[in-house]
Amino acid sequence: MTQARVDPRTRRRSRAARRVRDLLRAAIVLEEFAAGPLPGETELMLSFSASRQVVRDALALLRDEGLIKRVPGTGTLSVASKVRHRFNYIHGPEPARDTEIVSHRILSTSREVAAPRVAERLRLPRGSECGVLEYLTLVGHEPYYACTAYVPVPLLGVVAHGQQVDEWYSVYELAGFELGVTEQAVEAILADDVAAELLGVAPGAPLLLFERLVKDHTGTPLEYAFARVRGDRMTLTVQLPRHSWQCRRGPTRGREA
């Protein structure tokens, strides 16, 4: 089967629209626009040195992503409520707007025999029990992430108080624990039926999966958890230093003459 040939002008317009989309998206997420309607098409054309059709194509892409909506008689409105999660220390979500609050809804608590990986991560004897907590975190009235947390049985009563705090990790500090280093791994996944229902997204929607191991200041594990975060609600930010290639490779031996 031969592939349909795309007009070069159409391809150029598509590339330009996606570049404008990326820049507009960043401005919306970083709240560089005041709350309310976005600038009009003419102003956007001047800002991005783009044609009206390119701007309209870019806005259509953002609308498909659910970041904006067009209201007749009002204009184009930003509907995104992104959480900017700075990845340089352990903390819970920080709302993008002062009017939003973070809350946690405990879905279930139970005790069960720890699976081998859970036992290994929590340093529990094989065959021993662990506590299991399922909870949902909301930013404002919208679900943000769904989490399954495994803890040593004595800590099940501690995490059960999660509904009483707005910052999840403070539940440990309020119980007298001093937190140390937390290990985090992040990957992109798709929402299964259960996660989709909890998070209010369609099955197959993109999510971020955070696998974390929370430790106290002595290195003792407190919590091993999997948090499924709505990809449309989070922006990860991080500062990355550059180490020279030679430093990473180590010293090289010179050639002998």
Side-chain angles (χ1 to χ4, degrees):
M1 179 181 293
T2 59
Q3 189 174 10
R5 186 175 179 181
V6 179
D7 189 295
R9 291 173 296 180
T10 301
R11 186 178 290 111
R12 285 196 298 270
R13 194 181 87 190
S14 177
R15 287 198 295 261
R18 277 161 173 75
R19 290 196 295 270
V20 172
R21 182 270 317 270
D22 291 342
L23 294 169
L24 265 175
R25 193 180 197 282
I28 291 171
V29 169
L30 297 176
E31 297 185 304
E32 293 176 2
F33 294 126
L38 296 179
E41 289 182 357
T42 301
E43 185 176 344
L44 292 175
M45 290 166 59
L46 293 173
S47 297
F48 296 104
S49 300
S51 69
R52 187 176 301 275
Q53 190 56 57
V54 164
V55 167
R56 288 179 174 175
D57 290 348
L59 292 174
L61 291 169
L62 291 172
R63 186 176 62 247
D64 291 343
E65 290 185 33
L67 286 175
I68 64 171
K69 66 178 179 180
R70 306 201 107 183
V71 180
T74 301
T76 303
L77 303 177
S78 169
V79 296
S81 180
K82 283 274 188 177
V83 172
R84 294 180 64 199
H85 192 95
R86 196 172 297 278
F87 224 37
N88 56 357
Y89 66 97
I90 180 173
H91 62 91
E94 299 170 351
R97 300 185 178 95
D98 294 336
T99 55
E100 292 178 326
I101 61 172
V102 177
S103 60
H104 310 285
R105 183 185 303 162
I106 305 300
L107 304 176
S108 68
T109 58
S110 61
R111 294 172 57 159
E112 62 181 50
V113 175
R117 179 166 178 79
V118 174
E120 183 268 328
R121 299 298 274 166
L122 293 178
R123 299 181 192 168
L124 300 175
R126 287 292 184 99
S128 62
E129 287 189 323
C130 68
V132 184
L133 179 81
E134 303 271 0
Y135 70 92
L136 183 67
T137 292
L138 301 97
V139 176
H141 299 291
E142 289 192 61
Y144 178 61
Y145 72 78
C147 186
T148 302
Y150 302 91
V151 298
V153 169
L155 294 185
L156 191 54
V158 170
V159 293
H161 292 294
Q163 291 187 152
Q164 301 172 16
V165 300
D166 56 0
E167 208 274 341
W168 178 257
Y169 302 101
S170 66
V171 76
Y172 292 106
E173 294 171 326
L174 292 173
F177 292 93
E178 181 182 347
L179 296 184
V181 174
T182 291
E183 300 174 14
Q184 292 263 27
V186 187
E187 62 179 296
I189 62 169
L190 301 178
D192 58 31
D193 291 342
V194 174
E197 183 178 358
L198 286 173
L199 295 174
V201 299
L207 303 178
L208 291 174
L209 177 65
F210 283 69
E211 179 186 353
R212 69 176 182 242
L213 179 64
V214 182
K215 302 177 184 178
D216 70 10
H217 70 290
T218 69
T220 301
L222 301 177
E223 175 191 297
Y224 178 50
F226 296 88
R228 287 170 167 79
V229 186
R230 282 178 52 168
D232 63 335
R233 298 295 315 275
M234 171 182 276
T235 297
L236 292 175
T237 62
V238 62
Q239 290 185 337
L240 300 174
R242 167 70 176 179
H243 299 295
S244 72
W245 177 245
Q246 291 298 331
C247 288
R248 296 200 305 275
R249 295 179 62 192
T252 57
R253 288 185 296 180
R255 294 181 178 177
E256 294 182 2

